[in-house]
Amino acid sequence: MKASDLFVKALENEGVEYIFALPGEENLDLLQSLKNSSIKFILTRHEQGAGFMAATYGRLTGKPGVCLSTLGPGATNLMTPAAYAKLGAMPMLMITGQKPIKKSKQARFQIIDVVDMMQSVTKYTKQIVNGNHIASSIREAFIIAIEERPGAVHLELPEDIAQEDCESHVFDVVGHIIPKADEVALDLAVDMIHQSKKPLLLIGAGANRKVTCEALRKFVDETGIYFFTTQMGKGVIDERHPQYLGTAALSSNDFVHAAIEDSDLIINIGHDVIEKPPFFMKPEGKKVIHVNFSPAEVDPVYFPQLNVVGDITGSVFKLVEKIQKQKDWDFAYFKKVKIEVGEHLSTYFHDERFPILPQRLVYLLRERLDSKDIITLDNGVYKIWFARNYTCYQPNTLILDNALASMGAGLSSGMMAKMLNPDKNVIAVCGDGGFMMNSQEIETAVRLGLHLTVIIINDRGYGMIKWKQEDMGFDDFGLDYNNPDFVKYAESYGAKGHRPNNDADFQEILEHCLTIPSVHIIDLPIDYSLNHAILNVMLKEKTEKL
C-alpha cells in the first residue's frame, strides 16, 4: 500500500470525521489519498483557522480533532492553535508536510526543524522516517492526545515517505480505564470535609471534560455545600441551582472571593494551575483538597494539602457515599453572598442605552437562547462579563478559553460548534480585534453553508488592555484603531451584514439572524465606560463591606 493511503486508512481506523487544512505541495500525495476516503476535507483560509477548529472539535467531542498544513510557514502558523490545545486540554493531531528526507530537493528552502519547534506546545511530536511506522505512530499519537491531560500531538510526514510502498496493517483501537482514587486518600478527604466548618466546592475545566454532571449535582444536593466555578468549569451543574455562588472570572476582589475568604476548606474538582487562578492560596490560609486525574502542580498561589488522584467522576461518587452532613457546617455567609451576587449581576440587565453595555448584551442573549444553545467567545474584556453574568444551564454551552486565552479563535470555534450541533443556535461573540485576526474564515463558513451568527463587539480598540491600562493608572495611549465597514465586509464574502442603531433594533436583528439560515455578521457598538468603575473599584469596595 502507498504510505499516504495507509496514513489515511489509519486515520479512518481512529474514527476521524474531518481534516481541517491548508495544504501545500508537500501534502499532495496525502491530499489525493484523502480524496478517496470517508474523511470530510475542510479547506480553511489560514492554518490558525484549521487548528482552532480541530482543537474545538477535540474539546467538544473528547476525540482528537485533526488539522493539516505544509512545512515551514504553514507549520509555524499552527503553533498558536497547538498551544491553545495544550493549555486548554483539547485533544488534537497536527499533520505537517516536509521536503524529502532521503535526498535534497530544494536545498534548505522553507525548511526548519518543525519537530523540535513543536516540542514546547505538544505532548508528542515525531517525524515519520519509514512508511512502515505510520500505523503505530498514529495509534500512539491518538492515545497520547486523549490521555489526561489531553492536548496537542504532531506528526510530520515528509514528501518522499508519503510516496513509499509499505505494509497495510493498522492497529486495533484499544481504550483504557482511568484508575480509581485510592480509598485512603478518599477517607482523608472525607475527614477534612467533616472537620471543616465552611467547606466550599470549586468546579474546574477537568470536570467539564468528562461526564461528571450527575456526580457533582448529587454531591451538592446531598451535602448542601455551596459551589463556584472557574471560567472553563461553567455549566457542569445548572447555574440556576440554589447553591451556585458564581464564576471566578477575576482572581480576587469579586463577590465569590468574599465567600472563598470566609471558607476554611476548598474542595477543588478538576482545576489546575494552567487556567488563570480563581483564587490565591496563602501559607496560613484555608486548606485545599485537589481532586483530579493527576496530582497538583505546586505553584506559589496553589499548593493543596491533599491530592485525590484518579477518575474524577468515580472520586466524586465515592465522596458522596462517604460524606455525612455535619450539624456545625455554617453556610450563613455564603447565603448572604448569594443574595449580593444576584442583585449585583442583574443591575444593568434592563439598561437600554446604546452603544450597548456588555451586561445588557449578556442578558439579551441568555433570554433569547435555549438551554442547549451555544455561545463561543474570542478573547477580550467582554469574556469577563460573560463568565460572571451569563448563566449556563448545561455544560459546554459557553465556550471560552482561559488557559492560553488567545485572540482569533472565536469565529473558528463557533464554526466547529455549529458543524457538530446543526440543530442548535450558535453565536460567536468576538471583539473587533480578535475577529480581524482570522476574519477570512467567514468565507469558509459561507462555503460550508453554515447557519451561524457572529456578533462583533466594536469599540475600535484593544479593550482588555485599555481596561488594564486604566487600572494601573497609565494614560489612554496606543491601543485605538479603525475598522473596516463590517457590513460591507461581510457582504463581500457572501454573508449577511447588520448594524443596529439602538437596543430594540439589535433585538430585532438578533431574532432575524437566529431565524433565517445564513452566516450573519452583526456590527455591535459596545459601551465599556463602566469597566473600570465596576470591575476595579466598586467590586473591591463592596466585597470589603460584606
Side-chain angles (χ1 to χ4, degrees):
M1 179 178 281
K2 184 180 176 181
S4 62
D5 290 339
L6 175 60
F7 201 105
V8 171
K9 182 180 177 182
L11 293 177
E12 289 177 316
N13 184 56
E14 298 288 344
V16 173
E17 298 179 88
Y18 302 100
I19 288 186
F20 308 96
L22 202 167
E25 63 181 273
E26 291 75 23
N27 308 120
L28 290 179
D29 288 279
L30 191 60
L31 193 64
Q32 182 65 28
S33 298
L34 283 167
K35 180 177 182 291
N36 302 312
S37 76
S38 62
I39 299 171
K40 298 181 181 69
F41 181 82
I42 307 296
L43 181 69
T44 62
R45 302 304 302 270
H46 194 282
E47 292 85 358
Q48 276 197 11
F52 287 136
M53 291 185 78
T56 304
Y57 178 94
R59 177 176 182 170
L60 294 178
T61 67
K63 301 182 296 183
V66 182
C67 57
L68 169 71
S69 82
T70 189
L71 79 171
T76 60
N77 281 341
L78 284 179
M79 286 290 283
T80 298
Y84 176 81
K86 181 182 180 182
L87 269 64
M90 308 172 198
M92 175 175 76
L93 168 63
M94 297 175 290
I95 305 162
T96 61
Q98 187 55 273
K99 297 294 183 188
I101 57 174
K102 296 179 181 178
K103 61 180 180 180
S104 176
K105 181 181 180 182
Q106 294 173 314
R108 301 296 298 175
F109 175 64
Q110 288 193 313
I111 294 178
I112 59 172
D113 190 336
V114 176
V115 172
D116 183 65
M117 178 184 75
M118 288 288 183
Q119 291 282 356
S120 66
V121 290
T122 61
K123 298 177 68 181
Y124 170 83
T125 176
K126 180 179 181 179
Q127 181 187 71
I128 296 175
V129 297
N130 186 309
N132 292 318
H133 296 168
I134 285 173
S136 60
S137 296
I138 289 177
R139 181 81 279 267
E140 184 177 16
F142 272 75
I143 290 170
I144 294 171
I146 294 170
E147 282 178 344
E148 284 291 338
R149 267 178 114 253
V153 295
H154 165 250
L155 291 173
E156 181 178 79
L157 182 64
E159 188 176 359
D160 53 348
I161 303 301
Q163 297 166 356
E164 285 184 345
D165 288 329
C166 59
E167 298 172 2
S168 61
H169 172 72
V170 294
F171 293 87
D172 291 340
V173 175
V174 179
H176 66 281
I177 297 174
I178 299 174
K180 296 179 181 178
D182 184 79
E183 289 289 334
V184 173
L186 289 164
D187 289 340
L188 288 171
V190 171
D191 287 343
M192 288 177 68
I193 295 168
H194 284 169
Q195 291 169 19
S196 67
K197 297 295 184 289
K198 299 178 180 181
L200 192 58
L201 179 69
L202 165 61
I203 300 174
N208 226 341
R209 293 197 295 271
K210 305 295 180 182
V211 187
T212 61
C213 299
E214 181 185 351
L216 282 165
R217 186 167 54 247
K218 188 173 183 180
F219 181 98
V220 171
D221 288 343
E222 295 198 8
T223 65
I225 293 174
Y226 281 74
F227 72 97
F228 69 104
T229 75
T230 68
Q231 293 186 42
M232 295 177 73
K234 284 183 69 66
V236 175
I237 300 176
D238 188 329
E239 291 173 0
R240 293 169 291 187
H241 196 287
Q243 260 66 43
Y244 172 63
L245 288 178
T247 295
L250 304 170
S251 294
S252 60
N253 296 324
D254 202 346
F255 290 102
V256 72
H257 296 107
I260 293 168
E261 287 300 312
D262 190 64
S263 70
D264 59 355
L265 175 68
I266 303 292
I267 309 156
N268 182 347
I269 311 290
H271 171 65
D272 57 48
V273 296
I274 290 178
E275 188 173 359
K276 188 176 180 180
F279 67 93
F280 300 125
M281 288 187 69
K282 300 171 184 176
E284 302 302 322
K286 67 192 57 51
K287 294 180 179 179
V288 174
I289 300 172
H290 177 88
V291 182
N292 215 320
F293 299 100
S294 56
E297 295 181 37
V298 175
D299 183 88
V301 299
Y302 188 68
F303 40 91
Q305 285 79 14
L306 177 64
N307 287 291
V308 179
V309 179
D311 174 64
I312 286 179
T313 304
S315 296
V316 175
F317 273 127
K318 279 287 188 180
L319 290 173
V320 173
E321 290 177 9
K322 293 171 177 284
I323 293 172
Q324 302 294 321
K325 277 188 178 182
Q326 302 298 297
K327 292 180 180 179
D328 56 351
W329 280 346
D330 180 8
F331 298 142
Y333 186 78
F334 299 162
K335 292 176 183 178
K336 180 180 177 182
V337 169
K338 172 77 174 175
I339 294 170
E340 290 285 340
V341 167
E343 292 178 354
H344 164 74
L345 293 183
S346 62
T347 301
Y348 292 96
F349 278 178
H350 300 287
D351 190 317
E352 297 181 3
R353 75 181 74 180
F354 202 84
I356 199 168
L357 289 173
Q359 301 97 307
R360 173 68 172 168
L361 173 61
V362 170
Y363 171 77
L364 291 175
L365 294 185
R366 180 65 283 174
E367 286 293 293
R368 176 56 184 82
L369 296 177
D370 291 337
S371 61
K372 60 183 174 56
D373 292 336
I374 298 171
I375 293 176
T376 66
L377 299 181
D378 208 280
N379 267 281
V381 69
Y382 55 89
K383 185 179 77 171
I384 293 174
W385 292 110
F386 272 90
R388 294 177 77 247
N389 293 53
Y390 189 81
T391 305
C392 288
Y393 304 155
Q394 295 183 19
N396 288 316
T397 51
L398 183 66
I399 307 298
L400 58 81
D401 168 31
N402 196 36
L404 183 67
S406 170
M407 296 171 69
L411 173 58
S412 296
S413 58
M415 291 162 59
M416 189 71 258
K418 185 62 181 182
M419 290 174 68
L420 290 170
N421 300 277
D423 60 328
K424 300 178 182 179
N425 286 313
V426 176
I427 298 177
V429 178
C430 306
D432 46 6
F435 174 77
M436 287 303 294
M437 289 186 178
N438 278 303
S439 64
Q440 70 282 342
E441 299 306 336
I442 297 173
E443 188 280 325
T444 307
V446 171
R447 177 165 27 94
L448 293 173
L450 299 180
H451 179 195
L452 177 68
T453 300
V454 182
I455 298 175
I456 303 173
I457 293 180
N458 191 345
D459 69 329
R460 298 197 297 178
Y462 292 114
M464 173 71 87
I465 312 306
K466 288 168 74 74
W467 168 57
K468 294 285 188 179
Q469 191 176 52
E470 184 174 7
D471 182 41
M472 296 175 69
F474 293 125
D475 295 334
D476 183 357
F477 171 75
L479 297 169
D480 294 310
Y481 47 70
N482 295 316
N483 283 317
D485 183 325
F486 285 125
V487 172
K488 292 180 179 178
Y489 188 69
E491 291 170 349
S492 72
Y493 284 109
K496 308 296 183 185
H498 311 271
R499 183 179 296 112
N501 296 308
N502 53 55
D503 185 278
D505 193 22
F506 170 65
Q507 293 186 59
E508 186 176 330
I509 288 171
L510 178 64
E511 184 63 34
H512 171 82
C513 293
L514 294 177
T515 304
I516 306 301
S518 185
V519 176
H520 295 280
I521 311 293
I522 303 175
D523 178 5
L524 183 64
I526 195 82
D527 182 350
Y528 277 155
S529 62
L530 299 180
N531 284 358
H532 175 69
I534 293 176
L535 297 177
N536 297 335
V537 180
M538 185 272 284
L539 278 181
K540 185 176 181 181
E541 292 174 351
K542 287 217 168 202
T543 53
E544 286 176 350
K545 292 178 181 178
L546 264 178

